[in-house]
């Protein structure tokens, strides 16, 4: 799983174009499984090299694509007419590679407003009808280029504001594409208007390359184009990074706080370099809105690090970080430790450090962590930004709250280390649980949990929301969900138990819990509530099932720890457990439990 340095921005595009075969060979040498995806590329111009290079970036992200490629400029025919080859391919992702060169209805100076408006509608409909057809046929994700600007301006600056202008027309079409994207959650824009500007429009739109090879972009722009497209795909497949790990001296401010003192470091508006560092701090701070977690890894005394972060002109304060490691250990050890404390894999991290030696150590020893070559401070933002580590495809409520949740977890861990007696620690958290029968408000979250929770899941049964709603309406079941709050915040719905009644036996078909609330005695509170409900309904015996999966080894003896008796065990590790509940005594001593009225 190490990311390939040659494919991280800033890269050498000529090298990637030339060496694609040996790069691909290198990328396939891995023992990690790939996510396999079928991608149809429907082109309005030549796509061959784009597909070759896109494949490299996807492999680098752990995604192995197979491609369907339309004939030259057959994107519309391939989508609209009978196409057994495409049908048989069953694309999961469809990329439509069109550009300004594919606009057929441009306005002329003699057109009146109505004629221009008609042309705009017709040109948009040409695309919309195709998207609708592809959606209804394949239910795939569609990624569609927007339109770049033309490389010349007949009317000069007026081209942008006048409806007769090509630039005005392309911009209006783009707005219609964006409105469609806002209404369709499986439709994404590959923003070549931005890419061509970033690359330099006159270099991007080289007429020689167009007339010679029918490529709409300079061949050396293909790697940047392909990275941009690969970022949408990897984000859809859950391959985004989740956190920054940031060095301090000469990374977040100029100078070395331990040597120069707080008053001697450069940050803020007094100097031009101070302003550049301030802009970088703001760029990082803005990531918190996306749920990206900020952390520090610095060779410094802890007090010096905190003092530097408390500089009056600093945008980032100690409070903006989840974990601050300022010590003299090797950085690779610190980075691994940060991943462990956040409970995420090292390949979810982006390590930012101005020192090439430190970058080398982390790149070598922490596989999967992204280590961008950030360059000089005025290049930091661009070099991080163009890599698209946090590409947004869908922003959920959970993403936005993620910072608070992880931060609260770290606070709990700190508190734990100050207590000698674990029960005292749990009592000090002032935990309150809401344990209730399923309801409409949380049914989506309950179904979502069954598809997420892997490690603490006794049977690992998956439910769609519709299936869960059916269970909710079925009186053969006893259903409980649990929410947990403590003095640091609300963890939301984190556990679900589902039992099916058969005479006087309750078969526990599902018991799962989110790992972020392990060791808080929530399972004891759930068992107490389950027994209470079961007794009311004439149940005498609980029967628990453990089905072994590659991930749920931690709960193999779970029922035993709760006082159940093992009644059978299969060779494959599956087991069955029983508990007589006549003389059951409540086990939870540390959580205050609230139920709703109908259960009291």
């Amino acid at each position: 799983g190490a990311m390939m340095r040659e494919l991280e921005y800033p890269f050498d595009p000529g090298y990637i174009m030339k060496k694609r075969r040996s790069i691909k060979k290198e990328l396939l040498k891995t023992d990690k499984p790939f996510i396999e995806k079928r991608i149809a590329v429907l082109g309005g111009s030549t796509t061959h090299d784009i597909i070759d290079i896109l494949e490299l970036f996807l492999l680098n992200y752990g995604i192995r694509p197979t491609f369907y490629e339309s004939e030259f400029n057959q994107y519309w025919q391939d989508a609209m007419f009978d196409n057994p080859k495409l049908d048989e391919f069953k694309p999961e992702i469809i990329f439509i590679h069109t550009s300004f060169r594919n606009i057929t209805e441009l306005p002329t100076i003699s057109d009146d407003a109505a004629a221009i408006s008609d042309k705009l509608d017709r040109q948009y409909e040409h695309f919309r009808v195709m998207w609708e057809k592809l959606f209804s046929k394949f239910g795939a994700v569609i990624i569609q280029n927007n339109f770049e600007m033309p490389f010349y301006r007949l009317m000069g600056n007026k081209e942008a504001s006048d409806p007769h202008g090509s630039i005005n027309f392309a911009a209006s079409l783009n707005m219609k594409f964006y409105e469609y994207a806002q209404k369709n959650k499986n439709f994404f824009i590959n923003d070549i208007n931005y890419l061509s500007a970033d690359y330099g429009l006159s270099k991007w739109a080289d007429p020689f390359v167009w007339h010679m090879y029918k490529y709409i972009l300079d061949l050396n722009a293909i790697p940047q184009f392909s990275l941009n497209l690969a970022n949408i795909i990897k984000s859809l497949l859950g391959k985004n990074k989740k956190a920054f790990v940031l060095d301090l001296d000469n990374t977040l401010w100029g100078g070395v706080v331990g040597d120069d003192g707080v008053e001697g470091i450069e940050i803020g508006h007094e100097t031009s370099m101070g302003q550049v560092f301030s802009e970088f701090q703001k760029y990082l701070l803005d990531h918190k809105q996306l749920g990206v977690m900020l952390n520090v890894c610095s060779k410094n005394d802890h007090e010096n690090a905190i003092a530097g972060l408390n500089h009056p002109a600093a945008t980032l304060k100690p409070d903006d970080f989840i974990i601050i490691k300022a010590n003299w250990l090797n950085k690779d050890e610190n980075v691994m430790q940060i991943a462990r404390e956040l409970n995420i894999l090292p390949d979810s991290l982006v390590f930012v450090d101005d020192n090439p030696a430190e970058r080398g150590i982390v790149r070598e020893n922490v596989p999967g962590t992204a280590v961008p070559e950030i360059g000089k401070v005025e290049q930091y933002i661009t070099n991080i930004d163009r890599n698209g580590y946090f590409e947004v495809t869908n922003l959920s409520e959970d993403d936005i709250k993620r910072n608070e949740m992880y931060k609260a977890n770290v606070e709990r861990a700190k508190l734990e280390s100050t207590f000698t007696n674990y029960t005292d620690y749990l009592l000090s958290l002032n935990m309150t649980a809401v344990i209730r029968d399923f309801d409409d408000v949380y049914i989506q979250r309950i179904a979502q949990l069954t598809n997420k929770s892997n490690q603490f899941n006794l049977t690992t049964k998956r439910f769609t929301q519709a299936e869960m709603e059916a269970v909710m309406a079925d009186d053969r079941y006893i259903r409980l969900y649990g929410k947990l709050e403590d003095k640091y915040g609300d963890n939301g719905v984190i556990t679900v138990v589902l039992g099916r009644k058969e005479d006087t036996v309750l078969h526990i078909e599902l018991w799962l819990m989110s790992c972020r609330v392990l060791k808080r005695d929530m399972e004891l509170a759930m068992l107490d509530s389950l027994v209470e409900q079961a007794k009311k309904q004439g149940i005498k015996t609980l029967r628990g099932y453990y089905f072994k999966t590659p991930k749920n080894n931690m709960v193999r003896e779970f029922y035993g720890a709760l006082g159940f008796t093992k009644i059978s065990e299969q060779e494959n590790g599956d087991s069955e457990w029983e508990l007589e509940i006549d003389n059951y005594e409540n086990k939870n001593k540390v959580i205050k439990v609230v139920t709703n009225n109908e259960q009291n």
Side-chain angles (χ1 to χ4, degrees):
M3 297 287 283
M4 192 183 259
R5 173 65 205 107
E6 292 85 337
L7 297 178
E8 286 223 79
Y9 185 95
F11 39 58
D12 173 351
Y15 175 86
I16 295 174
M17 295 296 287
K18 268 206 287 295
K19 295 281 190 204
R20 62 184 86 175
R21 279 190 187 76
S22 58
I23 294 175
K24 180 174 171 178
K25 237 192 223 126
E26 200 54 41
L27 288 165
L28 288 169
K29 282 189 206 153
T30 172
D31 44 6
K32 276 195 160 174
F34 286 103
I35 298 178
E36 309 277 345
K37 277 289 162 222
R38 295 185 302 282
I39 303 175
V41 177
L42 308 184
S45 51
T46 312
T47 51
H48 183 69
D49 286 312
I50 289 170
I51 286 174
D52 269 7
I53 306 300
L54 174 63
E55 179 176 31
L56 303 182
F57 285 103
L58 289 174
L59 288 169
N60 195 35
Y61 285 140
I63 300 159
R64 185 161 49 196
T66 39
F67 290 103
Y68 166 94
E69 184 180 17
S70 71
E71 301 280 316
F72 174 75
N73 200 11
Q74 295 292 300
Y75 72 97
W76 207 77
Q77 292 83 334
D78 265 19
M80 296 302 291
F81 303 121
D82 216 22
N83 187 343
K85 252 176 85 174
L86 185 59
D87 295 350
E88 196 182 315
F89 180 71
K90 291 197 189 64
E92 297 164 282
I93 296 169
I94 299 170
F95 167 53
I96 301 167
H97 180 60
T98 46
S99 72
F100 185 86
R101 298 261 185 194
N102 296 109
I103 297 177
T104 53
E105 299 264 7
L106 286 169
T108 61
I109 300 291
S110 59
D111 284 344
D112 62 11
I116 295 173
S117 172
D118 278 353
K119 282 183 172 177
L120 190 62
D121 289 343
R122 274 204 303 277
Q123 191 68 76
Y124 171 66
E125 280 302 303
H126 164 88
F127 285 96
R128 191 190 64 81
V129 168
M130 171 177 65
W131 303 330
E132 295 293 335
K133 174 106 189 224
L134 290 169
F135 273 138
S136 66
K137 201 164 188 182
F138 299 111
V141 163
I142 295 177
I143 302 174
Q144 166 72 54
N145 287 347
N146 60 0
F147 297 101
E148 81 286 26
M149 294 298 109
F151 71 98
Y152 62 87
R153 302 183 298 174
L154 191 62
M155 297 188 277
N157 291 286
K158 191 85 169 143
E159 200 67 25
S161 57
D162 191 308
H164 296 93
S166 297
I167 289 179
N168 186 283
F169 191 79
S172 304
L173 265 176
N174 278 343
M175 282 313 295
K176 285 183 171 291
F177 278 29
Y178 306 154
E179 280 158 21
Y180 186 87
Q182 285 156 23
K183 292 193 189 81
N184 291 276
K185 65 176 191 315
N186 290 316
F187 179 89
F188 300 91
I189 294 287
N190 184 44
D191 190 357
I192 70 172
N193 189 24
Y194 181 87
L195 284 179
S196 56
D198 188 32
Y199 191 79
L201 185 55
S202 49
K203 273 197 345 212
W204 169 280
D206 183 347
F208 176 82
V209 176
W210 169 250
H211 294 294
M212 188 77 183
Y213 310 112
K214 291 290 184 280
Y215 271 107
I216 61 150
L217 71 174
D218 179 51
L219 297 180
N220 275 332
I222 288 178
Q224 206 173 328
F225 174 97
S226 300
L227 171 60
N228 191 68
L229 180 54
N231 282 338
I232 299 175
I233 295 169
K234 64 99 189 189
S235 171
L236 287 169
L237 299 176
K239 292 274 191 179
N240 271 355
K241 303 292 183 190
K242 292 180 180 155
F244 275 116
V245 176
L246 304 155
D247 173 45
L248 296 177
D249 295 321
N250 290 314
T251 301
L252 293 192
W253 54 67
V256 177
V257 69
D259 301 342
D260 307 328
V262 177
E263 59 292 341
I265 63 179
E266 283 202 90
I267 181 83
H269 293 283
E270 306 307 311
T271 68
S272 57
M273 283 332 274
Q275 290 171 24
V276 182
F277 281 107
S278 284
E279 185 172 47
F280 183 48
Q281 287 205 5
K282 168 145 191 343
Y283 171 74
L284 293 167
L285 182 66
D286 285 344
H287 279 79
K288 283 180 67 179
Q289 302 169 39
L290 305 177
V292 175
M293 300 178 278
L294 307 181
N295 306 277
V296 165
C297 171
S298 164
K299 284 196 171 157
N300 249 317
D301 284 328
H302 194 77
E303 299 78 81
N304 285 339
I306 297 299
L309 289 168
N310 277 321
H311 188 292
T315 314
L316 288 168
K317 300 295 182 198
D319 211 36
D320 290 312
F321 297 93
I322 295 189
I323 295 170
I324 297 177
K325 297 264 180 227
N327 56 40
W328 302 97
L329 296 173
N330 283 342
K331 291 216 169 175
D332 52 342
E333 292 173 52
N334 275 328
V335 171
M336 295 292 270
Q337 191 51 39
I338 287 172
R340 275 196 291 274
E341 286 178 32
L342 290 175
N343 206 1
I344 59 181
L345 293 170
D347 65 12
S348 296
L349 303 176
V350 178
F351 175 75
V352 179
D353 195 314
D354 67 297
N355 181 333
E358 302 290 12
R359 291 200 296 264
I361 286 169
V362 172
R363 192 178 283 126
E364 281 307 295
N365 298 329
V366 193
T369 293
V371 185
E373 290 294 315
I374 52 175
K376 300 201 287 281
V377 60
E378 62 274 21
Q379 301 168 310
Y380 289 179
I381 292 180
T382 307
N383 287 340
I384 290 169
D385 198 69
R386 298 302 183 269
N387 277 304
Y389 298 123
F390 308 102
E391 179 84 29
V392 172
T393 41
N394 292 307
L395 204 52
S396 78
E397 200 54 34
D398 248 18
D399 294 326
I400 295 166
K401 287 203 189 122
R402 187 187 292 137
N403 262 296
E404 296 159 34
M405 288 179 172
Y406 276 90
K407 185 142 201 177
N409 260 349
V410 173
E411 290 300 320
R412 290 181 194 105
K414 270 193 208 140
L415 182 66
E416 183 182 335
S417 62
T418 65
F419 278 89
T420 45
N421 172 328
Y422 194 68
T423 305
D424 290 345
Y425 159 66
L426 287 179
L427 285 166
S428 78
L429 286 174
N430 304 335
M431 292 182 284
T432 302
V434 176
I435 300 177
R436 294 183 175 162
D437 190 0
F438 293 2
D439 57 44
D440 291 332
V441 180
Y442 293 117
I443 196 76
Q444 185 188 356
R445 170 66 180 160
I446 290 166
Q448 189 191 33
L449 263 180
T450 69
N451 290 294
K452 264 192 179 158
S453 186
N454 286 318
Q455 293 178 47
F456 191 114
N457 193 334
L458 277 301
T459 56
T460 319
K461 282 192 175 166
R462 311 297 193 189
F463 291 78
T464 64
Q465 190 171 333
E467 288 167 338
M468 225 9 134
E469 283 166 354
V471 167
M472 188 162 87
D474 187 335
D475 58 14
R476 289 173 307 172
Y477 287 96
I478 294 179
R479 302 160 293 262
L480 294 173
Y481 72 78
K483 285 177 71 179
L484 186 63
E485 276 186 48
D486 61 32
K487 68 180 183 190
Y488 293 112
D490 186 352
N491 290 283
V493 173
I494 39 75
T495 181
V496 179
V497 176
L498 186 59
R500 185 175 45 82
K501 296 179 285 190
E502 209 171 90
D503 299 326
T504 60
V505 178
L506 185 73
H507 300 273
I508 304 172
E509 293 192 348
L510 185 68
W511 190 324
L512 63 84
M513 193 161 78
S514 159
C515 282
R516 62 168 180 249
V517 293
L518 282 180
K519 300 205 183 114
R520 308 277 296 279
D521 285 6
M522 185 63 183
E523 63 277 21
L524 302 183
M526 288 297 277
L527 181 60
D528 291 353
S529 296
L530 186 65
V531 169
E532 186 192 342
Q533 289 305 315
K535 279 184 168 170
K536 280 185 191 167
Q537 305 195 27
I539 298 291
K540 302 259 184 262
T541 311
L542 302 187
R543 186 166 301 163
Y545 300 88
Y546 167 71
F547 298 142
K548 189 170 162 33
T549 70
K551 290 199 171 156
N552 72 356
N553 193 48
M554 71 151 71
V555 289
R556 197 181 65 232
E557 295 296 324
F558 171 74
Y559 282 118
L562 291 182
F564 283 63
T565 311
K566 190 188 291 185
I567 51 176
S568 75
E569 179 156 19
Q570 310 298 318
E571 264 176 45
N572 65 3
D574 292 358
S575 52
E576 258 182 73
W577 305 74
E578 255 184 16
L579 180 69
E580 304 297 336
I581 59 174
D582 276 351
N583 306 312
Y584 180 85
E585 285 178 14
N586 278 354
K587 297 180 186 299
N588 158 41
K589 309 273 190 279
V590 295
I591 302 174
K592 179 177 165 229
V593 176
V594 184
T595 59
N596 52 357
N597 307 331
E598 69 203 46
Q599 289 192 334
N600 286 347

